[in-house]
Amino acid sequence: MHSIAEGLAKNQRKISVAEFFERNKQILGFGTSTRALITSVKEAVDNALDACEEAGILPDIFVEIRETSDNEYLIIVEDNGPGIVRKQIPHVFARLLYGSRFHSLKQSRGQQGIGISAAVLYSQLTTGKPTVVTSKIGEGFPAHRCTLVIDTKKNRPEILHDEMTHWERNSGTRIELSMGGMYVRNRKQSAYGYLRSTAIVNPHAEITFIEPNGNETVFERVTDKLPSQPREIKPHPYGIELGTLIKMAKETKARKLTSFLSGEFSSISIQKAKKIIEIAELDQSFNPNKISLENAKKVANAFKKVKLMGPPTDCLSPIGEILIKRGLRKEMDTLSPEFISTDKRNPSVHSGIPFLVETGIVYGGNLPSEERVEIFRFANRVPLLYQEGDCVITKGIKNMDWRHYGLQQRSGKGIPFGPAIILVHISSVNIPFTSESKEAIANIDEIEREIQLSLRQCARKMKSHLSKKKKKVKAKNKFMLISQILPEIAKKSSEVLEKAVPSIEGVITKIMNIVWIDDGVQYVEGKIVSTISITNYKNKIQSFELYAALPDEGLLGGVNPAADEIKRGYIMWKIDGLKPAEKRELSFHMLGMEKGDFDENSLYIRGIDPVNVIGAEKWEGS
Amino acid sequence: MTMEERRRAAVKEMMKIAGEIYDDLDNSRIPELEIPSRTKSNIAFDERHRVWKYGRNKSTRSAVSLPGAYMLLRTVYTIDFIKKMIEQHKSSTLREMYYISEGWSEGKFSSQGDSDRLAEDLEILTKKLREDMGLRPEEDGARVMGDLSVEEITRKGEKRRIHCQDDVGDSGYSIPYNVEREKLKIRDTNAKLVIAIETGGMFDRLVENGFDEEKNAILVHLKGQPARSTRRFIKRINEEKNLPVIVFTDGDPWSYRIFASVAYGAIKTAHISEYLATPSAEFLGITPSDILNYELPTDDLTNEDISALKSELSDPRFHDEFWESEIKLQLKMKKKSEQQALAKYGLDYVTDTYLPEKLAEKGYET
């Protein structure tokens, strides 16, 4: 469960940190100069977002990349977070493997604490220049400006200058790093692409980006609501590795094995602790600090033999369907997508670790219809840009048959083709990355299954949208036929024959022979208004029930005429005695939603044969 | 019947169609028109006229669907237009009608192909020719050179006698779009046969070499797929002067279709095949066998050529021993040749050797 880097570092204490970095720069994400630049921006921005959220501040992030000389860039990342106290600055930025989150089981962006100091080191190794960090912890406090380097022999920060300075901001942190590199744009794997993707899954953040050519982009905030703070949880026995167990036992302040087990793990009660100790054939009062490898093994085996509750799952902070939709809509605006569907799963557990999958599919518009769909992968709100092929998200997508859902896919396997973008976000207290560069999520069956369940849900919505669209075109054609073409045939033929215009009511009923339901959703002055019209084009009186699905979020503002039933999730009207050629209008409106949050009705009918209805599906229960 | 009478009769028939549509609406019936399906699979040999006509398969244009309703709307607009036009003693080209339809709101045609097809549909429904409805084609008439006298009524209503060698220049007599008796009479001829030629280049070659005089032949330039008036003109010479008709084209699938439309009737106009086709017309060449026998320069068949040849194998008009063996031979050798490839052996070869040999094969004295 703990990081490879930690292990690596332990075994390599004798070599310098610079040498360690040099040997492992590939897996740390600094393999090429192009990538090093992206990784550095990424580490700094991830830290900035985490800091703001922990302090309950809506993040305003400023990122600038300046070309200072040929192939040398200055990266500036500034946030409005809580700042860092002067004493901690060197440790946070200039010491590898320093970080408060090292053992914590909590959903956060940086999980290993290796990131930003690796960028500082890379800067130092490629340019010989120090890093400048400015931080201010609140109004009335001075800002500190530290110029620092890493002493690579001792893996210790060294402060070159330290000054107090004036800073306009109330609080925040600014880092300035020089590095050799290459600036690229116009692709997903770029600083721009990274920030754009970040903006999609962090709709509460505002990010301003100035590129080397002076071009300024503002990724605007779409919600003022901060994500709920993820909670830290204790490790669950099912997922624990032997090494971690020993480490926890040696470091615990508990005097007895029973209190150690019940106190430091989730889902272990005193009773369960006693049961475990009994199965392990150990003594309850045994001092956990003195645990031997052999006894630790016994405990670990005993964990597997008791039935335990899963870990708590309310510790995660997902983005939410509507916010993903808003994020996608904003960043995909230039593509004018035809349809966006999103889905959020309930939390699930693998190896005692809770995780949660959210997905989105963007369809149509200007997306190329013959190309491979683009995949946007995210872990704890961080875009994953590299190693797409090694990631469980890609695998989950490849192992689904997308042909059912209107995309092309040779032999029902592999990445599908079509005018779509697929987004998958995984939140977890501990994302099982395949390597230290944190670019691909390991292949875990439970995660793959959840990804597929969620994507299927999204894809079903997409498919139903497409078939609805097709039916709509058909219905519109029929309407055109009866409302324009047929009257004109009647008029013109009567003209030719010099007779009176014949009545066409009877023919219209025969041609349509259907109950026609037309609907639309509009955004009017802060309200989302949904209108439904029902026309009976059959030659008999019709009575049935009409159901309109309500969105999960938002508030039902009004229903007209009064509904016969309003439940969570739907409204029902009884349509009674609808005479031939009679038309009825229904409507409802939603409050507290933004334009685009709800853009398509789902209508269902009960008590009438669905083949006699265009514009609504058969009601299958709530 | 005079033109005037024929036009009145056509209007009467069209009014019946408008009446059917009107009555359907008035009686709560969905209006529809039945028309024979105009496809290769729906043509059958008419024993009486010895030409290919539409078979029994019908397709229904019904107002129950949007395309069907559009077709019906265009039909009533077209009927209205033709009726008014004939009342004013005017006529128009098919292209003019297409442009006039711009003012027909939802009834306007989306392409000229649409309006041409509708005119043909109306011919089928009324059993009248589009010329009788005052609609004439764009296509200009083909050219004729040979010992033949015709009598045309000019625009001023005067009779003018034209001899198709003596009274014309090198480009020959130009066939008008209306070749009916009240416009054109076929008078004297001493010719022994009619040779219909696909390309202008070959027509001019035969004219330059004096083939029409030397062999006493009437040369007709088909100009590719021949216009209705050209086919009608050929048929009239064939019937009225009892002259055999020989068709001389390139050696490729498209040329065989030209022959088929002259001799058997075209699929598009199968409703009036007995009026346009000359069942006794014979195909002279270039045949695939000619390509081999005369060692003609060739081009490779394109994919389109190959699929056209295959499609001809399933075309009932080509179901005979001659065509099946020739088409299969061509598919095997994958080559095609043009008429003018005969120039390989010199400019006079076609008139001195090829045509006399081929005509002799068919049993004509030359």
Side-chain angles (χ1 to χ4, degrees):
Chain A
M1 193 160 81
H2 274 173
S3 75
I4 309 167
E6 189 190 15
L8 286 170
K10 241 183 198 166
N11 297 333
Q12 296 179 3
R13 281 272 152 78
K14 289 181 189 82
I15 62 168
S16 79
V17 69
E19 209 174 320
F20 161 74
F21 181 84
E22 197 55 47
R23 283 188 194 176
N24 297 293
K25 72 180 183 191
Q26 192 70 45
I27 59 167
L28 294 172
F30 292 84
T32 65
S33 58
T34 316
R35 191 165 166 196
L37 201 128
I38 300 166
T39 303
S40 303
V41 170
K42 173 177 159 149
E43 297 294 355
V45 171
D46 288 355
N47 282 359
L49 288 168
D50 267 348
C52 288
E53 286 165 22
E54 272 173 32
I57 297 168
L58 279 173
D60 274 319
I61 314 278
F62 171 86
V63 180
E64 181 175 357
I65 300 177
R66 273 185 221 154
E67 189 166 13
T68 45
S69 63
D70 262 2
N71 295 327
E72 191 177 310
Y73 295 88
L74 178 68
I75 300 175
I76 301 165
V77 176
E78 192 177 306
D79 64 50
N80 60 337
I84 301 165
V85 293
R86 158 69 189 82
K87 208 175 77 188
Q88 288 297 327
I89 290 173
H91 295 291
V92 171
F93 290 96
R95 194 172 169 192
L96 257 67
L97 305 178
Y98 187 92
S100 60
R101 308 189 197 95
F102 203 56
H103 302 298
S104 101
L105 278 181
K106 180 181 170 187
Q107 177 187 338
S108 68
R109 294 183 179 77
Q111 273 181 346
Q112 264 77 21
I114 192 161
I116 193 61
S117 44
V120 172
L121 185 58
Y122 182 82
S123 154
Q124 189 173 319
L125 293 175
T126 52
T127 66
K129 291 181 182 163
T131 293
V132 180
V133 177
T134 312
S135 195
K136 181 173 166 186
I137 58 169
E139 243 176 313
F141 290 91
H144 283 278
R145 189 165 191 266
C146 300
T147 306
L148 46 85
V149 292
I150 295 174
D151 179 338
T152 54
K153 285 203 183 78
K154 294 183 193 146
N155 184 20
R156 289 216 157 266
E158 196 178 310
I159 312 262
L160 303 181
H161 298 287
D162 179 2
E163 54 182 339
M164 276 200 261
T165 168
H166 176 71
W167 202 17
E168 303 292 322
R169 283 189 181 280
N170 287 346
S171 69
T173 304
R174 172 186 170 102
I175 177 167
E176 294 162 51
L177 289 157
S178 288
M179 62 177 60
M182 271 275 285
Y183 184 79
V184 294
R185 213 208 151 163
N186 294 331
R187 59 176 192 189
K188 202 162 73 173
Q189 292 168 343
S190 63
Y192 181 89
Y194 163 76
L195 292 173
R196 176 166 175 250
S197 292
T198 300
I200 295 173
V201 290
N202 293 279
H204 59 291
E206 175 148 321
I207 304 172
T208 306
F209 179 40
I210 298 177
E211 292 175 82
N213 63 5
N215 200 12
E216 180 180 310
T217 310
V218 180
F219 301 98
E220 280 170 30
R221 174 179 293 132
V222 292
T223 176
D224 288 336
K225 230 173 82 187
L226 273 166
S228 69
Q229 260 304 298
R231 273 197 309 115
E232 186 164 343
I233 61 161
K234 294 167 189 161
H236 190 276
Y238 286 172
I240 206 95
E241 279 168 14
L242 190 60
T244 315
L245 175 64
I246 294 171
K247 200 168 168 192
M248 284 171 70
K250 300 239 161 166
E251 285 172 6
T252 185
K253 290 194 171 80
R255 293 290 114 218
K256 290 178 179 177
L257 202 48
T258 330
S259 52
F260 167 61
L261 291 178
S262 62
E264 305 221 351
F265 289 90
S266 53
S267 310
I268 300 186
S269 59
I270 303 273
Q271 283 72 23
K272 290 282 180 192
K274 286 178 178 164
K275 186 93 191 274
I276 291 164
I277 295 164
E278 191 188 311
I279 295 170
E281 295 172 335
L282 292 172
D283 194 338
Q284 285 181 27
S285 57
F286 184 84
N287 180 352
N289 291 156
K290 292 178 181 156
I291 201 160
S292 66
L293 177 63
E294 201 184 329
N295 286 340
K297 270 186 189 161
K298 283 183 184 168
V299 174
N301 284 331
F303 279 165
K304 291 173 196 148
K305 289 176 187 155
V306 286
K307 210 170 152 58
L308 298 170
M309 303 251 295
T313 53
D314 56 352
C315 53
L316 299 172
S317 168
I319 303 164
E321 282 191 58
I322 293 246
L323 285 184
I324 292 185
K325 199 181 233 182
R326 282 188 199 165
L328 282 172
R329 193 175 296 284
K330 177 178 62 105
E331 291 311 324
M332 303 296 170
D333 195 38
T334 52
L335 297 167
S336 22
E338 177 188 318
F339 188 68
I340 298 177
S341 64
T342 50
D343 178 68
K344 189 185 107 187
R345 296 284 302 163
N346 285 324
S348 186
V349 172
H350 75 92
S351 322
I353 298 167
F355 70 97
L356 187 152
V357 173
E358 296 172 282
T359 57
I361 297 179
V362 179
Y363 184 88
N366 302 328
L367 282 163
S369 54
E370 299 297 323
E371 279 168 38
R372 241 182 59 157
V373 305
E374 203 177 342
I375 301 171
F376 280 76
R377 297 173 296 131
F378 298 92
N380 288 348
R381 296 174 187 259
V382 176
L384 308 180
L385 303 182
Y386 293 90
Q387 299 172 27
E388 183 179 284
D390 300 335
C391 185
V392 69
I393 291 175
T394 314
K395 184 170 172 250
I397 291 168
K398 280 180 173 172
N399 289 343
M400 269 174 71
D401 192 338
W402 288 92
R403 295 173 300 182
H404 299 312
Y405 306 111
L407 294 179
Q408 297 153 42
Q409 193 183 29
R410 242 166 260 132
S411 71
K413 271 204 171 281
I415 295 178
F417 286 70
I421 287 171
I422 298 176
L423 172 150
V424 178
H425 175 232
I426 298 179
S427 334
S428 176
V429 297
N430 187 0
I431 302 270
F433 288 112
T434 57
S435 81
E436 229 24 59
S437 60
K438 297 183 259 168
E439 290 292 356
I441 302 170
N443 190 358
I444 288 167
D445 289 346
E446 288 90 336
I447 298 183
E448 184 179 347
R449 200 176 53 233
E450 283 292 313
I451 290 169
Q452 291 182 339
L453 286 170
S454 184
L455 282 174
R456 281 205 189 97
Q457 191 57 34
C458 261
R460 262 196 291 274
K461 288 181 204 164
M462 176 178 87
K463 191 188 173 188
S464 106
H465 161 81
L466 291 176
S467 70
K468 196 173 171 191
K469 192 175 90 176
K470 230 188 220 166
K471 281 186 191 152
K472 270 242 162 107
V473 169
K474 238 176 151 178
K476 286 261 143 70
N477 282 347
K478 281 258 160 160
F479 192 71
M480 168 94 186
L481 197 166
I482 58 154
S483 64
Q484 293 198 41
I485 309 299
L486 218 51
E488 233 180 297
I489 295 177
K491 188 171 143 252
K492 203 73 205 174
S493 63
S494 63
E495 237 177 81
V496 174
L497 298 164
E498 291 164 16
K499 287 185 179 178
V501 181
S503 154
I504 55 173
E505 291 297 324
V507 176
I508 286 177
T509 304
K510 271 193 179 152
I511 287 177
M512 295 298 272
N513 193 26
I514 212 95
V515 173
W516 194 43
I517 301 177
D518 193 17
D519 72 286
V521 175
Q522 273 184 305
Y523 183 77
V524 200
E525 293 159 11
K527 291 190 290 192
I528 290 186
V529 182
S530 170
T531 49
I532 303 159
S533 77
I534 306 170
T535 314
N536 181 9
Y537 286 116
K538 290 191 76 75
N539 55 11
K540 288 204 177 99
I541 292 176
Q542 303 291 328
S543 296
F544 55 92
E545 292 172 357
L546 181 85
Y547 292 82
L550 293 173
D552 291 341
E553 290 166 58
L555 194 74
L556 182 60
V559 184
N560 186 38
D564 293 281
E565 195 174 295
I566 300 179
K567 286 255 168 81
R568 183 165 168 74
Y570 67 86
I571 306 175
M572 187 271 281
W573 287 275
K574 282 190 178 139
I575 309 297
D576 267 332
L578 187 66
K579 293 196 242 11
E582 188 187 340
K583 183 174 180 179
R584 280 190 208 169
E585 309 267 2
L586 313 170
S587 72
F588 66 89
H589 67 263
M590 302 295 301
L591 300 170
M593 298 183 91
E594 283 182 19
K595 193 178 178 188
D597 286 352
F598 176 69
D599 45 16
E600 202 165 280
N601 276 311
S602 301
L603 302 175
Y604 304 91
I605 31 115
R606 188 160 81 168
I608 184 173
D609 189 340
V611 301
N612 291 327
V613 179
I614 289 183
E617 310 283 317
K618 191 180 167 205
W619 175 253
E620 307 273 9
S622 49
Chain B
M1 272 201 287
T2 65
M3 172 72 91
E4 221 19 65
E5 287 164 346
R6 289 206 311 273
R7 290 198 165 170
R8 273 201 300 276
V11 169
K12 203 174 143 201
E13 287 304 313
M14 286 190 298
M15 294 296 277
K16 277 190 200 163
I17 294 165
E20 277 172 40
I21 294 171
Y22 182 93
D23 289 346
D24 280 344
L25 287 173
D26 205 27
N27 293 297
S28 293
R29 287 189 304 258
I30 297 171
E32 56 181 43
L33 293 174
E34 256 194 355
I35 291 176
S37 358
R38 297 165 64 186
T39 59
K40 183 175 76 179
S41 57
N42 188 39
I43 50 168
F45 190 67
D46 178 326
E47 291 289 347
R48 193 159 73 90
H49 297 105
R50 308 198 52 249
V51 293
W52 291 83
K53 302 199 49 135
Y54 290 125
R56 288 192 187 148
N57 297 343
K58 304 265 185 196
S59 68
T60 305
R61 316 283 165 88
S62 162
V64 82
S65 76
L66 191 59
Y70 270 118
M71 190 269 174
L72 291 174
L73 180 60
R74 287 168 189 158
T75 304
V76 287
Y77 263 108
T78 306
I79 290 171
D80 183 52
F81 162 71
I82 290 172
K83 183 184 161 222
K84 286 178 182 153
M85 184 173 70
I86 288 177
E87 280 167 4
Q88 294 163 17
H89 305 283
K90 286 246 162 66
S91 68
S92 85
T93 65
L94 288 165
R95 191 151 189 80
E96 281 167 337
M97 180 169 87
Y98 166 63
Y99 283 123
I100 283 166
S101 85
E102 283 289 325
W104 295 357
S105 104
E106 291 300 333
K108 77 174 185 193
F109 296 109
S110 47
S111 70
Q112 204 193 331
D114 271 3
S115 60
D116 290 0
R117 261 191 300 281
L118 187 75
E120 285 158 8
D121 284 347
L122 277 177
E123 284 186 311
I124 298 170
L125 289 165
T126 58
K127 300 192 171 56
K128 301 288 169 197
L129 291 171
R130 64 187 182 197
E131 285 78 3
D132 299 341
M133 303 173 201
L135 297 175
R136 56 173 193 277
E138 210 53 28
E139 54 207 20
D140 48 347
R143 300 184 282 155
V144 180
M145 180 70 86
D147 181 1
L148 172 72
S149 289
V150 295
E151 191 181 283
E152 247 192 83
I153 308 291
T154 64
R155 272 175 305 165
K156 291 172 184 151
E158 295 159 4
K159 286 181 186 173
R160 181 178 295 165
R161 208 179 162 94
I162 302 161
H163 186 264
C164 300
Q165 277 167 332
D166 302 342
D167 300 337
V168 297
D170 288 349
S171 58
Y173 167 71
S174 187
I175 303 174
Y177 86 88
N178 179 4
V179 291
E180 291 315 303
R181 280 190 181 82
E182 81 267 355
K183 166 77 181 171
L184 183 109
K185 290 195 172 69
I186 291 168
R187 295 295 187 194
D188 311 327
T189 179
N190 292 312
K192 285 191 285 182
L193 80 167
V194 176
I195 300 182
I197 299 147
E198 178 180 353
T199 65
M202 183 52 74
F203 177 83
D204 290 338
R205 166 59 42 223
L206 299 199
V207 170
E208 188 178 307
N209 290 8
F211 194 77
D212 52 324
E213 287 183 337
E214 201 178 305
K215 305 291 181 186
N216 223 350
I218 299 171
L219 308 179
V220 181
H221 174 208
L222 293 173
K223 277 189 141 176
Q225 190 58 251
R228 283 187 182 189
S229 57
T230 309
R231 284 183 277 160
R232 178 69 181 152
F233 183 79
I234 290 170
K235 183 180 176 70
R236 283 189 60 194
I237 305 177
N238 169 258
E239 284 186 344
E240 291 171 30
K241 297 295 155 192
N242 211 11
L243 292 185
V245 174
I246 301 293
V247 179
F248 178 28
T249 68
D250 287 341
D252 64 42
W254 318 102
S255 303
Y256 310 153
R257 289 177 186 190
I258 289 172
F259 167 72
S261 82
V262 171
Y264 308 142
I267 293 169
K268 240 165 83 75
T269 55
H271 55 296
I272 43 173
S273 287
E274 75 272 25
Y275 170 81
L276 296 176
T278 309
S280 65
E282 285 186 88
F283 186 70
L284 184 95
I286 305 282
T287 63
S289 302
D290 288 344
I291 297 175
L292 295 180
N293 296 339
Y294 290 90
E295 296 177 7
L296 295 177
T298 59
D299 284 316
D300 290 340
L301 291 180
T302 64
N303 288 336
E304 291 75 42
D305 292 335
I306 291 170
S307 58
L309 283 170
K310 285 184 177 157
S311 155
E312 280 160 13
L313 282 177
S314 65
D315 184 330
R317 297 176 300 168
F318 289 96
H319 275 187
D320 69 35
E321 215 177 303
F322 167 76
W323 280 116
E324 276 172 16
S325 71
E326 288 293 336
I327 290 169
K328 282 176 184 164
L329 172 66
Q330 187 154 32
L331 280 169
K332 212 168 118 190
M333 63 194 212
K334 294 194 169 65
K335 300 282 182 197
K336 61 181 178 184
S337 256
E338 292 181 0
Q339 299 182 299
Q340 295 181 66
L342 290 160
K344 173 188 177 186
Y345 302 108
L347 295 177
D348 296 337
Y349 185 78
V350 62
T351 42
D352 287 356
T353 312
Y354 178 79
L355 284 176
E357 276 182 19
K358 291 289 289 187
L359 287 169
E361 246 176 61
K362 299 270 176 202
Y364 295 104
E365 285 174 40
T366 52

